[in-house]
Amino acid sequence: MHSATLAINETIQARKAAGEKVLHLGFGEAGLPVPDRIATVLAQAAGLNSYGAVVGSPAVREAAAGWFSRRNLLTGADQVLFAPGSKPLLFALLAALPGDLVLPCPAWVSYAAQAAIVNKRVVDVPIPAESGGIPDPALLEQAITRARSKGAAPGVLVLTVPDNPTGTVVRPEHLREVCAVADRHGLVIVSDEIYAELCHDGRPAPSAASYLPERTVVTTGLSKSMALGGWRIGFARVPDNPWGTGLMRDLTGLASEVWSSLAAPMQAAAAYILADPVEVTEHITAARRLHATVAHAVHSEFVLAGASCRIPDAGFYLYPDFEPVRTRLGRQGITTGAELASNLLTQHGVGVLAGEAFGDDASALRARVATSLLYGDSAEERWTALRSDDPLSLPWISASLEHLRGALATLTLQT
């Protein structure tokens, strides 16, 4: 099936192209322009049109190793593999690693879909009440044991820190407990840390590689922190041990047959960005501040409308639950997350993605909300939002918040 996130983006873009007024809260694109210096680096690398090493050039692997090491994960260049986005790396890992997939629920839409493609069962475990991205530590061991009793072979645990879809960051003690359970059961952890640079408080997100270093693979990329989704730059870090060396060999073999290598100009851009020059770190700091400001404002609108919702800690996602107003919605024939999302789009011009797409209970009145496409429709508007001390006062952002407020009020107050 077409990826739910990509499908809703294409649907909303088509509606907007047809002249409809649609508030786009359905797609997790970081919604910011490319800094001039980064664009210049890419342009200067345009002549690099030869095939390169599958794993990436020595320069970009060294840059990534330094980037991880400055973030308290001591890394050598031979532990790093680049790809056209982190999504192919996640797929390659699921293809290369033995065993079925253990997955927090809800979780990003592509994990379970990729597992199905490589014929892995999925063992869903609810997330903790406090945050998403990891399975509830108290329920994880039970789920693994139960799955094995039913013939499954849990072997890979995917974590997302910080989380998509809930926009939250796991508490370190919970992550430590989850890693301990994975260790007892011999699971490999794939830690998707693509939002790790966007914690709203500026502190680094915890990494599973700090708690289970010998069997944790970290995947990340530049799609979120630098808003370079269309450039497709992803990279992974394997452990520094014989097991990691063997996995790198397997991943390289898969990559060589599927994507050959990350485009050389993109490697040049990545090498520059991953050296953490001041213009890059300042850009990410400004992006983090904007994401936090707008996400918290949108969170307030959903709570005002009667939904319950975790307070966002990172990135640009929310996961509101309309269960507290189920009776009101039921009078309009809205009893599922899909019906909620459909009504918001067709009747109120607000695009969100139903929780069902993330593996949630279809009957739950939950949806994933992405706030990062509210920053403006043009590069000029987005630069203005990024540099503003009060982005919520900008006409296009305040108008979007007003649109959302009116839509939610009408949705939840009808009798």
Side-chain angles (χ1 to χ4, degrees):
M1 292 178 62
H2 198 156
S3 167
T5 53
L6 295 175
I8 192 171
N9 182 54
E10 293 165 17
T11 296
I12 292 175
Q13 294 293 5
R15 284 175 174 264
K16 293 177 75 172
E20 294 185 36
K21 183 181 178 182
V22 181
L23 193 61
H24 196 345
L25 301 176
F27 189 51
E29 186 170 337
L32 291 171
V34 179
D36 290 343
R37 177 58 185 151
I38 307 303
T40 298
V41 170
L42 182 64
Q44 291 172 339
L48 301 177
N49 62 338
S50 298
Y51 290 102
V54 173
V55 292
S57 69
V60 77
R61 297 179 86 196
E62 287 285 356
W67 185 88
F68 277 119
S69 296
R70 289 189 297 276
R71 286 153 179 80
N72 300 318
L73 288 178
L74 189 62
T75 303
D78 59 352
Q79 294 174 250
V80 180
L81 168 69
F82 276 79
S86 63
K87 188 182 281 189
L89 287 166
L90 290 162
F91 179 75
L93 284 162
L94 288 176
L97 294 168
D100 293 321
L101 176 63
V102 181
L103 194 62
C105 185
W108 177 55
V109 299
S110 290
Y111 301 133
Q114 290 186 351
I117 293 171
V118 295
N119 296 313
K120 290 186 186 294
R121 299 189 194 185
V122 176
V123 180
D124 288 323
V125 188
I127 62 175
E130 298 85 351
S131 64
I134 68 160
D136 188 318
L139 301 177
L140 177 57
E141 193 141 20
Q142 301 172 27
I144 293 170
T145 301
R146 184 168 57 250
R148 284 182 173 149
S149 72
K150 294 180 178 180
V156 183
L157 170 61
V158 168
L159 309 178
T160 314
V161 184
D163 184 39
N164 169 17
T166 67
T168 56
V169 182
V170 61
R171 295 194 307 206
E173 58 269 28
H174 276 178
L175 183 57
R176 184 183 297 110
E177 290 177 47
V178 164
C179 290
V181 174
D183 191 22
R184 286 197 296 273
H185 288 272
L187 303 185
V188 171
I189 292 179
V190 175
S191 188
D192 184 347
E193 300 181 7
I194 199 163
Y195 297 94
E197 297 288 279
L198 296 180
C199 293
H200 294 167
D201 61 9
R203 292 185 294 182
S207 174
S210 298
Y211 301 115
L212 190 59
E214 63 272 18
R215 283 204 312 282
T216 295
V217 182
V218 176
T219 66
T220 186
L222 301 181
S223 297
K224 310 305 177 183
S225 62
M226 291 299 298
L228 297 177
W231 290 21
R232 313 307 303 134
I233 299 171
F235 53 106
R237 174 193 184 273
V238 302
D240 182 21
N241 57 23
W243 179 83
T245 300
L247 178 60
M248 177 63 78
R249 182 179 59 248
D250 293 343
L251 293 174
T252 303
L254 280 163
S256 72
E257 303 293 357
V258 178
W259 65 78
S260 296
S261 63
L262 174 62
M266 296 307 173
Q267 293 189 44
Y272 178 80
I273 292 166
L274 295 175
D276 288 328
V278 65
E279 61 266 31
V280 166
T281 57
E282 289 180 348
H283 183 79
I284 293 174
T285 296
R288 186 187 300 125
R289 183 173 58 246
L290 177 61
H291 294 322
T293 299
V294 176
H296 280 79
V298 174
H299 174 268
S300 295
E301 298 297 341
F302 279 95
V303 172
L304 182 66
S308 61
C309 187
R310 296 173 183 85
I311 297 172
D313 298 319
F316 34 79
Y317 297 119
L318 303 168
Y319 201 66
D321 185 349
F322 285 81
E323 186 63 32
V325 292
R326 177 178 286 276
T327 300
R328 297 182 213 169
L329 297 182
R331 297 190 189 109
Q332 303 171 61
I334 300 172
T335 61
T336 68
E339 291 168 349
L340 171 67
S342 177
N343 184 279
L344 278 169
L345 180 59
T346 59
Q347 302 301 315
H348 305 285
V350 176
V352 300
L353 199 55
E356 181 179 358
F358 299 86
D360 207 345
D361 185 342
S363 66
L365 292 171
R366 291 188 280 267
R368 202 282 304 272
V369 174
T371 63
S372 47
L373 292 180
L374 301 183
Y375 307 150
D377 292 328
S378 67
E380 181 181 3
E381 287 183 346
R382 290 167 178 168
W383 277 122
T384 300
L386 189 65
R387 294 164 175 160
S388 175
D389 293 329
D390 184 16
L392 301 182
S393 69
L394 296 172
W396 54 93
I397 295 180
S398 63
S400 293
L401 292 173
E402 186 176 346
H403 179 161
L404 178 62
R405 187 178 307 123
L408 293 176
T410 303
L411 173 75
T412 58
L413 292 180
Q414 286 182 353
T415 59

